């Protein structure tokens, strides 16, 4: 589903701001989520970025400390990189793209039905 593009409370185009919410992983997602007041589209992508990357980074670190968990940790880091790229592209294309599981959590934070 595409969104109608408009200005945001930060003065950027929605799809640009949504893509920026993925740029620095959960750091930019959290900052944009807290600062953006107008655009649900941007807030959704910022929430998805925050939830996804905090979860995967924490999971990767936990798995890394488990004996023999190096390979699984590398797989999680690869997944994180793929979702980072997909998130930036889909947000900039104007899509309400939901990552499996993480997108549902982000939508529920904002009480959205996507």
């Amino acid at each position: 589903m595409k969104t109608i593009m408009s200005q945001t409370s930060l003065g950027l185009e929605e799809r640009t701001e949504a893509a920026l919410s993925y740029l620095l992983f959960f750091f930019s997602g959290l900052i944009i989520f807290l600062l953006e007041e107008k655009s649900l589209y941007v807030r959704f992508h910022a929430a998805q970025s925050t939830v996804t990357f905090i979860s995967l980074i924490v999971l990767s670190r936990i798995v890394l400390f488990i004996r023999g968990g190096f390979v699984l940790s590398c797989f999680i880091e690869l997944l994180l990189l793929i979702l980072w790229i997909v998130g930036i592209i889909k947000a900039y294309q104007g899509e309400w793209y939901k990552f499996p599981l993480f997108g549902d959590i982000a939508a529920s934070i904002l009480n959205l039905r996507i």
Side-chain angles (χ1 to χ4, degrees):
M1 177 170 85
K2 296 268 184 177
T3 186
I4 298 171
M5 295 298 138
S6 62
Q7 290 292 337
T8 63
S9 57
L10 298 179
L12 299 171
E13 183 185 63
E14 279 186 310
R15 62 190 189 124
T16 301
E17 191 173 318
L20 287 174
S21 71
Y22 292 97
L23 189 63
L24 299 174
F25 301 97
F26 70 89
F27 297 112
S28 55
L30 184 58
I31 289 167
I32 290 174
F33 182 80
L34 294 174
L35 295 177
E36 180 56 48
E37 297 172 347
K38 290 182 183 176
S39 173
L40 278 177
Y41 176 73
V42 172
R43 288 180 53 82
F44 166 73
H45 279 287
Q48 179 168 255
S49 171
T50 304
V51 168
T52 301
F53 298 128
I54 285 177
S55 300
L56 289 178
I57 289 169
V58 168
L59 180 62
S60 175
R61 297 309 176 260
I62 290 171
V63 167
L64 187 61
F65 290 110
I66 297 173
R67 186 174 182 191
F70 178 75
V71 173
L72 183 55
S73 178
C74 288
F75 174 76
I76 294 168
E77 295 290 330
L78 178 62
L79 176 63
L80 193 143
L81 179 64
I82 292 167
L83 291 176
W84 179 70
I85 293 168
V86 169
I88 291 172
I89 291 170
K90 294 295 189 179
Y92 192 74
Q93 290 175 340
E95 293 186 35
W96 289 78
Y97 185 80
K98 288 192 322 183
F99 296 149
L101 180 65
F102 303 114
D104 291 330
I105 294 168
S108 70
I109 289 170
L110 297 167
N111 294 317
L112 294 174
R113 290 184 187 251
I114 302 172

